[in-house]
């Protein structure tokens, strides 16, 4: 996949992760979308390290699932870390 496909995949995965895990984010939608792009990379890394399946083509279902899971993981970590700073 090219860099544009990575960005589009990450943006959509971030939006889906936000829909699955709604709530007040300290950073808003832009941070959520950035976390989606990084989450897609994380999901690809986790998939290749744990399952032996990396990110394939743009229309591959495993690519989308790994990207969404990675975005969910990063969104949860972000909420824990930033949520503590906001309350303190």
């Amino acid at each position: 996949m090219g860099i544009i496909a990575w960005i589009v995949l990450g943006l959509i995965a971030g939006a889906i992760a936000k829909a699955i895990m709604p709530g007040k984010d300290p950073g808003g939608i832009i941070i959520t979308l950035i976390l989606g792009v990084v989450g897609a990379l994380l999901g690809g890394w986790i998939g290749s390290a744990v399952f032996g399946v990396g990110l394939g083509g743009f229309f591959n279902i495993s690519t989308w699932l790994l990207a969404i899971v990675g975005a969910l993981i990063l969104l949860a970590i972000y909420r824990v870390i930033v949520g503590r700073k906001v309350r303190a």
Side-chain angles (χ1 to χ4, degrees), residues 38-55 66-67 69-71 73-74 77:
V38 178
L41 295 171
L42 175 68
W45 180 77
I46 289 172
S48 64
V50 174
F51 303 114
V53 177
L55 295 178
L66 289 172
V69 168
I73 291 169
L74 278 183
I77 292 170

Side-chain angles (χ1 to χ4, degrees), residues 25-28 31-32 35 73-83:
D25 286 328
I31 296 298
T32 303
L35 288 174
I73 291 169
L74 278 183
L75 184 59
I77 292 170
Y78 178 75
R79 285 183 179 178
V80 168
I81 292 172
V82 175

Side-chain angles (χ1 to χ4, degrees), residues 1-9 56-58:
M1 284 194 311
I3 189 73
I4 301 297
W6 273 100
I7 292 171
V8 170
L9 174 71
F58 186 79

Side-chain angles (χ1 to χ4, degrees), residues 15 21 59 65:
M21 198 177 188
F59 296 106
L65 291 176

